Amino acid sequence: MSTVASQKVVSIDYTLKNNNGEVLDTSNGREPLSYLHGSGNIIPGLEKALEGKQAGEQLAVTIEPAEAYGERDERMVQQIPKEQFAEIPELAVGQQVRGQTPEGTHVLTVVDIADDAVTVDANHQLAGETLNFDVKVVEVRDATEEELQHGHAHGAGGHQH
Ligand code: ZN
């Protein structure tokens, strides 16, 4: 049976909206997204909602931040001396840059640029957002050995490598 369960590769069409009805992301016009179920490839709330669903099923699911990208943490908004951005020629508000911290590499969003300091936000852009997904399960298949080893789906809509 093509039922969504752990160690299955699941392909989904989806549209993601925030609570204002704005589309944040969609697979429309692209390959369906393929992921390895049960491996944390997608946000926990969506993985839970898809558990046990069949190919062809459609669902609408609302996911609170704790089951999505987490709550915003204002301590992750920080000012950094501007000279550390010297090698980025046209730094702009809204731009995303990679930053090195003791915990590893983070994607930082530039939120303000002053004369001597740049304010960056290391929160995920969807942190604190309630997410509304319209999802259609397109295909469910067994994962290959290699996919299970890698912990993700291969092929169209998955990892290409
Ligand atoms: Zn792989």
Side-chain angles (χ1 to χ4, degrees):
M1 275 297 279
S2 38
T3 300
V4 176
S6 197
Q7 305 204 332
K8 297 280 189 183
V9 170
V10 183
S11 299
I12 55 172
D13 278 328
Y14 68 94
T15 295
L16 166 60
K17 291 178 186 165
N18 63 16
N19 276 348
N20 298 326
E22 294 168 304
V23 174
L24 302 175
D25 190 15
T26 178
S27 63
N28 252 341
R30 297 203 301 253
E31 296 275 2
L33 172 77
S34 295
Y35 75 95
L36 180 61
H37 194 80
S39 293
N41 293 174
I42 60 173
I43 57 171
L46 189 55
E47 195 159 51
K48 272 185 207 162
L50 284 162
E51 178 80 26
K53 295 288 184 283
Q54 314 261 321
E57 271 193 76
Q58 281 184 275
L59 58 151
V61 49
T62 295
I63 301 172
E64 300 298 325
E67 292 282 281
Y69 292 98
E71 300 289 352
R72 281 186 56 78
D73 181 352
E74 294 311 321
R75 290 169 304 180
M76 290 169 74
V77 179
Q78 291 186 341
Q79 287 200 333
I80 296 176
K82 202 172 185 180
E83 62 257 25
Q84 292 192 22
F85 295 87
E87 67 273 33
I88 302 174
E90 287 175 38
L91 199 65
V93 170
Q95 191 175 347
Q96 294 200 308
V97 297
R98 293 205 164 273
Q100 199 68 37
T101 70
E103 297 87 49
T105 305
H106 283 274
V107 175
L108 308 171
T109 305
V110 176
V111 293
D112 189 56
I113 302 172
D115 284 343
D116 53 357
V118 176
T119 307
V120 295
D121 184 353
N123 285 289
H124 189 282
Q125 282 202 306
L126 294 178
E129 292 269 13
T130 297
L131 305 181
N132 301 285
F133 280 94
D134 285 310
V135 183
K136 182 177 183 192
V137 181
V138 178
E139 190 192 8
V140 182
R141 65 168 170 83
D142 290 329
T144 64
E145 275 306 312
E146 194 184 43
E147 286 173 324
L148 293 175
Q149 277 171 15
H150 289 197
H152 55 228
H154 291 161
H159 276 249
Q160 322 273 350
H161 67 117

